[in-house]
Amino acid sequence: MSDIERIPSMRKPTRQGVPKRKSHDMAKPMAESGKTKDAPSIGPREPKVARPMPDEPDLRPEATVPPMDPTLAVELELAAQPVFEGVAPPVPVVEPQLEPETAAQPEPETAAQPEPEPEPEPEPEPEPLPPPQPAAEAASAEPPAQVEPARPAEPPRMTLLQLLARVDQAFAQFRTAAYRYPAEHMTDRLTDDGWTRKQMLAHIAAWHDLTSDRLTKLALSGHSVPLDREVDAVNAQAARVALGKSVGEVLKDTEMTMGRLRRQLLRLTEEQLHADDDWAIHVVASNTYGHYVDHLADLVPPAPPPGTAARR
């Protein structure tokens, strides 16, 4: 026997001699076909009558329902509402019944009692007039004794900066007048046998230099320095020096000597300035703003001759 023949057949054995079931015709109604085992006949159902539950109230119209208590109705309504976790249920607010207001009766007015009138104060008695005094005696014919007038107060002591400001103001005025004067008239004599204006400016510069030397010695010694030469000798030497210089050179010497004097003055202390009864202040004043006043009139420009116009 081969291997194929040994394998059993997968086909089912046919049932021989058993008739096949007839197929049901779905087009025919089930009533015509009658009751069969597969499709039994279906009849109408009997209606069910609803019976009331023992716990539920009878809702028929002939039954009477008693009225519900209002407090119970509020509790049922609150129970029907959803409750949220963490939120307290609202508390029902029962509005109090207000009693009917009674008309406010006006309080009886009390009769105003009249205030007692103040008693009038007695008027003060007039004071007696003073007895008449006798007329003042006439002044004696003798004049009163004359009082000696007080001495004027001395001016306050000048500081170093105040002194320097006064010197600068006076020299600026003198220098302006010297530069405005016509240069061609600087060699004219002030008098018939006196100095020329150029010699006068050299004389101013000489006393500037002499004052600077004395202030230098004051700063070293702390005491006043007397003049070691004659005044006429100083003036004569300044006049001789001016003869060999031009007008411009003399004006420049006046400015340079003033600059040297200012530097020596600034080197002094307040104590040195007021030493020996303000000796330094008197020396500086005599040779600067006190000296310029004596020569400002010599620097007034001459008037033009009659009939000629002034040159510009």
Side-chain angles (χ1 to χ4, degrees):
M1 256 179 107
S2 62
D3 295 336
I4 296 174
E5 292 179 355
R6 292 177 184 176
I7 297 173
S9 177
M10 298 299 294
R11 293 181 301 176
K12 294 181 179 181
T14 58
R15 297 174 62 182
Q16 299 179 3
V18 179
K20 294 183 180 182
R21 182 183 297 181
K22 294 180 181 180
S23 60
H24 181 71
D25 190 1
M26 297 301 295
K28 293 181 180 182
M30 296 181 63
E32 295 180 1
S33 60
K35 293 183 180 181
T36 60
K37 182 179 180 181
D38 297 335
S41 61
I42 300 173
R45 295 181 180 180
E46 295 180 0
K48 293 182 180 181
V49 179
R51 297 179 181 179
M53 299 295 292
D55 296 338
E56 296 181 358
D58 191 1
L59 301 179
R60 287 176 295 179
E62 38 293 338
T64 58
V65 181
M68 184 180 296
D69 189 5
T71 306
L72 181 60
V74 173
E75 294 179 358
L76 293 176
E77 184 179 355
L78 295 176
Q81 294 180 0
V83 179
F84 298 95
E85 295 181 359
V87 180
V91 179
V93 180
V94 180
E95 297 182 358
Q97 296 182 0
L98 301 178
E99 297 180 358
E101 297 181 356
T102 58
Q105 297 180 1
E107 297 181 358
E109 297 182 357
T110 58
Q113 298 180 1
E115 297 180 359
E117 297 182 358
E119 297 180 0
E121 298 180 358
E123 296 181 359
E125 297 181 0
E127 298 180 358
L129 297 175
Q133 298 180 359
E137 297 180 358
S140 60
E142 297 180 1
Q146 295 181 359
V147 181
E148 184 179 357
R151 298 178 59 184
E154 296 182 359
R157 302 177 70 182
M158 189 180 301
T159 62
L160 179 62
L161 295 180
Q162 292 174 347
L163 177 62
L164 188 62
R166 189 166 182 180
V167 170
D168 290 342
Q169 182 180 3
F171 180 74
Q173 183 181 3
F174 182 81
R175 176 181 176 277
T176 302
Y179 273 94
R180 284 181 178 178
Y181 199 86
E184 60 271 16
H185 294 287
M186 279 290 185
T187 56
D188 297 345
R189 294 187 178 275
L190 299 174
T191 59
D192 294 338
D193 55 351
W195 294 339
T196 62
R197 287 177 174 82
K198 185 176 68 170
Q199 291 175 325
M200 182 268 295
L201 294 176
H203 154 77
I204 295 289
W207 283 103
H208 283 170
D209 263 343
L210 187 59
T211 306
S212 299
D213 295 339
R214 299 172 75 182
L215 291 179
T216 304
K217 295 177 181 179
L218 171 66
L220 296 176
S221 63
H223 300 285
S224 59
V225 181
L227 186 61
D228 57 352
R229 68 190 73 175
E230 295 292 334
V231 176
D232 293 338
V234 175
N235 294 336
Q237 183 180 0
R240 287 193 300 270
V241 172
L243 294 176
K245 293 185 178 181
S246 63
V247 177
E249 290 175 346
V250 173
L251 290 173
K252 183 62 69 177
D253 289 345
T254 306
E255 294 180 356
M256 292 177 62
T257 53
M258 170 50 66
R260 180 169 177 257
L261 176 60
R262 291 183 80 260
R263 289 192 297 271
Q264 295 298 331
L265 188 60
L266 288 173
R267 291 175 182 174
L268 297 179
T269 62
E270 293 290 338
E271 183 179 359
Q272 294 171 348
L273 183 67
H274 300 295
D276 294 343
D277 297 333
D278 299 340
W279 175 83
I281 296 177
H282 293 297
V283 171
V284 173
S286 300
N287 296 303
T288 55
Y289 57 85
H291 195 190
Y292 303 150
V293 176
D294 300 336
H295 298 286
L296 275 176
D298 300 333
L299 296 176
V300 177
T308 60
R311 295 181 180 180
R312 295 184 179 178

